[in-house]
Amino acid sequence: MKRAKAILGIETSCDETAAAVVTDDGHVLSNVLDSQGSVHARFGGVVPELASRRHLERIEDLVHIAMQQADCTWTDLVAIAVTHGPGLAGALLVGLNFGKALAYASRVPLIAVNHLKGHLASAWLAHLDFPRPAIMLVVSGGHTHLYYTERAGQYDLLGKTVDDAAGEAFDKGAKMLGLGYPGGPALDRVARTGSPAAVHFPRPFLKQKGLDFSFSGLKTALLYYLRNLERSGAAPPVADIAASYQEAIVDVLVQKALRAARSYAVKGLAVVGGVAANSRLRTRLAEQTAQEDLCLVMPPLHLCTDNAAMIAAAGWEEFRLGRLASWDVDVAPNLALSRSSQDSEITSIALD
Ligand code: KG4
Ligand code: ZN
């Protein structure tokens, strides 16, 4: 390769084993992953022990493939960035220890990446000149968090879900509708042929002034709606119910994100994380920001769902801020991101 300096990113926080190489200027040289969907599908959710075992089986190969596809040698790396939380403890342990050993053996610094910062950094990969100040919405299986950011790697939490995450609402809704696993993409697919106005579902917290979210009431509304249908026997097509339920989630996400963008008078709005792959959310955001003086960034689908390129990208942000991990850094399954300056476990590294 042309000897550009690069960071190797490793991600094993849940059910994707992933490795990627990203250069200083945001070039993704490789981005490979092994998705465990088929391993967990028959259980209807991720089984932690199976996830760890599969990470262990696949990690070495994936890192090797990522380095090979990037045409990269160990001396081309300036650091190795690994997700250390939040996520499943056993799954995180595999990636963190593998990355730690690689970094130690290659004598490069280790960067412990908060998975949420990974999702946030995917906006940089999608749009290298992403303007700041900006509002960023992380919508994934475990998070619905709204941030304000003035510079890369530094995020202030404005609001978050008080109960379920948007991805959970999609997954649980899909399960109730018998749409299979993983639920979010299945519901998205079915809803494309349905009418979003067929059934009215509540828009929780939409009328409240703040920027917090709540989705558990919506899930309960769907449950009661389906129970009533069983009794009455007159059911609209599943596509209509799915489209209407999806519309309620999308409405809340779009309106709260825009409310934040307007009240903070920002230049950029990014929506990242697995749920940002939702086709209706993407269409509605594009439509509703068309008239605004706002740069909207929604990363391509493969950068929305979990991947290692975003971890390498966040690795660059941390590296530039001098935030390197110590060798005794541990996994942090409940790691939060409220203010980046409050991050723990980040200390200077000693290579000897
Ligand atoms: O970011 P991600 O891959 O993993 C976590 O960090 O959680 O997000 C996974 C979540 C799941 O809840 C999944 O159902 C949802 O993102 N998701 C979607 C779509 N694709 C993934 N939800 C709605 N529509 C989609 N197209
Ligand atoms: Zn994620």
Side-chain angles (χ1 to χ4, degrees), residues 22-351:
V22 174
T23 63
D24 192 11
D25 54 3
H27 227 83
V28 180
L29 298 181
S30 63
N31 187 19
V32 293
L33 69 80
D34 176 64
S35 186
Q36 303 179 359
S38 58
V39 175
H40 305 286
R42 67 196 167 103
F43 301 102
V46 178
V47 182
E49 286 76 12
L50 294 183
S52 319
R53 200 177 306 159
R54 178 80 174 204
H55 286 311
L56 209 49
E57 286 165 3
R58 299 296 291 122
I59 184 113
E60 195 177 342
D61 266 1
L62 281 160
V63 167
H64 181 69
I65 295 167
M67 291 292 283
Q68 218 171 31
Q69 282 187 5
D71 191 15
C72 198
T73 64
W74 299 111
T75 52
D76 296 323
L77 297 181
V78 296
I80 293 177
V82 189
T83 308
H84 77 126
L88 301 168
L92 290 163
L93 274 167
V94 177
L96 181 64
N97 285 310
F98 193 83
K100 213 185 259 193
L102 274 182
Y104 193 82
S106 333
R107 302 184 62 79
V108 294
L110 177 74
I111 299 169
V113 173
N114 182 322
H115 182 81
L116 287 175
K117 283 192 180 176
H119 278 301
L120 290 159
S122 69
W124 173 60
L125 291 178
H127 194 108
L128 294 175
D129 300 321
F130 180 57
R132 295 172 202 262
I135 293 294
M136 303 187 77
L137 175 64
V138 186
V139 266
S140 67
H143 296 86
T144 302
H145 282 40
L146 200 51
Y147 291 98
Y148 172 82
T149 174
E150 283 186 350
R151 56 188 69 85
Q154 299 195 341
Y155 307 98
D156 289 326
L157 184 65
L158 301 178
K160 65 180 167 96
T161 180
V162 299
D163 41 54
D164 291 354
E168 255 176 296
F170 269 105
D171 293 337
K172 289 175 179 169
K175 202 167 187 171
M176 282 187 247
L177 291 168
L179 300 178
Y181 172 90
L187 199 147
D188 184 352
R189 254 190 322 274
V190 170
R192 276 175 216 174
T193 56
S195 160
V199 186
H200 181 77
F201 287 110
R203 269 65 172 158
F205 276 34
L206 193 55
K207 294 218 168 83
Q208 293 196 3
K209 270 204 188 122
L211 293 170
D212 282 338
F213 301 84
S214 164
F215 292 105
S216 72
L218 175 60
K219 178 187 69 190
T220 311
L222 175 63
L223 181 71
Y224 286 142
Y225 175 78
L226 293 174
R227 273 192 196 156
N228 284 339
L229 278 188
E230 269 171 30
R231 273 186 229 122
S232 71
V238 170
D240 281 354
I241 308 174
S244 303
Y245 180 76
Q246 172 177 265
E247 198 69 2
I249 302 173
V250 167
D251 245 355
V252 175
L253 295 176
V254 170
Q255 294 197 44
K256 289 243 167 174
L258 283 177
R259 193 183 294 169
R262 287 173 194 142
S263 44
Y264 285 84
V266 293
K267 298 187 177 121
L269 169 65
V271 182
V272 299
V275 177
N278 181 265
S279 60
R280 182 69 181 159
L281 177 62
R282 295 174 85 87
T283 305
R284 287 278 313 278
L285 276 167
E287 282 170 3
Q288 295 207 219
T289 52
Q291 309 303 327
E292 313 244 347
D293 182 20
L294 194 61
C295 170
L296 172 69
V297 173
M298 294 176 291
L301 304 196
H302 69 282
L303 293 178
C304 288
T305 45
D306 287 350
N307 65 88
M310 71 183 197
I311 302 303
W316 273 114
E317 295 185 348
E318 300 296 284
F319 184 79
R320 291 187 193 109
L321 292 166
R323 295 182 184 148
L324 308 176
S326 61
W327 293 120
D328 60 359
V329 64
D330 203 355
V331 296
N334 299 314
L335 188 64
L337 177 61
S338 45
R339 256 192 92 92
S340 45
S341 51
Q342 288 171 0
D343 277 1
S344 55
E345 303 191 48
I346 308 292
T347 50
S348 282
I349 199 162
L351 279 172

